[in-house]
């Protein structure tokens, strides 16, 4: 989104006019992210149960599960803050960038965004997530920024390359009458 300038100068600003991400693609990215994270959480929970909880070491098992949740959340925040992507966003061609200049949002803002999404997802049985989606739908600026985007001063943009369209030939298309061609005699060879 931005390129470094000369030494001692601020970074040069480049085109930050990527279109805002469509809500359905944001949803798909969210679902992919949740499937990845919850799959890792389920694997850690199984291993904790198998090796710790089954042997009456409850505190160690709970520690493994909580540690996994924190580690995965921090890893997602690092990816989001540094590169602007998560596994789901990378697959569907989205990126999270700063609202004002299009640069990555940084780790602290990504951690806030990840924490808000986490808090609004599970404890509210999806009602909080629906509220965040509603705030994105009702964004007065038209950039589809949800509450979690505003809290982290971010916007989700579509970074897929624009589709290449072939230029149409301005000449009228020739119409061939196949019936008339069949009625015409073939020249002798």
């Amino acid at each position: 989104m931005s390129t470094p300038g000369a030494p001692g100068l601020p970074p040069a600003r480049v085109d930050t006019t990527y279109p805002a991400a469509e809500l359905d693609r944001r949803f798909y990215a969210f679902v992919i992210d949740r499937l990845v994270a919850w799959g890792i959480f389920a694997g850690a929970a199984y291993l904790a149960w198998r090796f710790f909880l089954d042997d009456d070491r409850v505190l160690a098992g709970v520690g493994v599960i909580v540690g996994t949740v924190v580690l995965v959340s921090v890893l997602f925040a690092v990816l989001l803050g540094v590169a602007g992507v998560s596994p789901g966003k990378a697959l569907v061609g989205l990126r999270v960038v700063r609202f004002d200049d299009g640069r990555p949002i940084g780790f602290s803002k990504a951690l806030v965004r990840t924490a808000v999404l986490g808090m609004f997802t599970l404890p509210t049985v999806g009602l909080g997530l629906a509220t965040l989606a509603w705030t994105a739908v009702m964004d007065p600026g038209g950039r589809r920024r949800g509450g979690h985007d505003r809290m982290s001063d971010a916007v989700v943009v579509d970074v897929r390359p624009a589709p290449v369209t072939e230029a149409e030939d301005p000449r009228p298309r020739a119409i061939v009458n196949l019936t008339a061609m069949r009625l015409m005699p073939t020249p002798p060879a």
Side-chain angles (χ1 to χ4, degrees):
M1 298 293 301
S2 72
T3 58
L9 296 176
R13 185 162 179 199
V14 296
D15 186 19
T16 58
T17 58
Y18 286 114
E22 296 293 328
L23 294 173
D24 60 338
R25 295 199 35 248
R26 287 184 70 167
F27 175 74
Y28 300 146
F30 176 79
V31 168
I32 293 168
D33 288 341
R34 291 305 102 199
L35 289 174
V36 168
W38 290 346
I40 294 170
F41 300 161
Y46 173 75
L47 292 175
W49 169 75
R50 181 79 170 99
F51 295 108
F52 296 110
L53 298 175
D54 202 27
D55 294 337
D56 291 331
R57 293 186 287 175
V58 174
L59 193 57
V62 170
V64 167
I65 295 169
V66 170
T68 302
V69 169
V70 169
L71 181 66
V72 169
S73 298
V74 167
L75 180 63
F76 270 51
V78 166
L79 286 171
L80 200 63
V82 173
V85 296
S86 62
K89 285 177 183 53
L91 283 174
V92 298
L94 301 179
R95 186 164 296 146
V96 178
V97 295
R98 285 188 192 173
F99 181 67
D100 55 351
D101 62 4
R103 293 184 304 154
I105 62 175
F107 175 71
S108 61
K109 290 184 179 185
L111 194 58
V112 167
R113 190 175 192 281
T114 302
V116 168
L117 275 173
M119 287 186 290
F120 275 68
T121 301
L122 280 181
T124 61
V125 192
L127 188 59
L129 192 60
T131 303
L132 288 178
W134 182 253
T135 59
V137 169
M138 299 307 292
D139 179 23
R143 296 289 289 172
R144 298 181 194 95
R145 293 176 68 208
H148 57 301
D149 295 322
R150 287 191 188 92
M151 288 179 198
S152 58
D153 191 35
V155 63
V156 182
V157 293
D158 185 354
V159 293
R160 293 179 302 169
V164 178
T165 58
E166 294 182 26
E168 289 189 30
D169 192 3
R171 298 176 296 173
R173 293 176 52 191
I175 298 175
V176 177
N177 186 341
L178 296 176
T179 305
M181 289 178 69
R182 276 197 316 239
L183 295 176
M184 301 205 35
T186 56

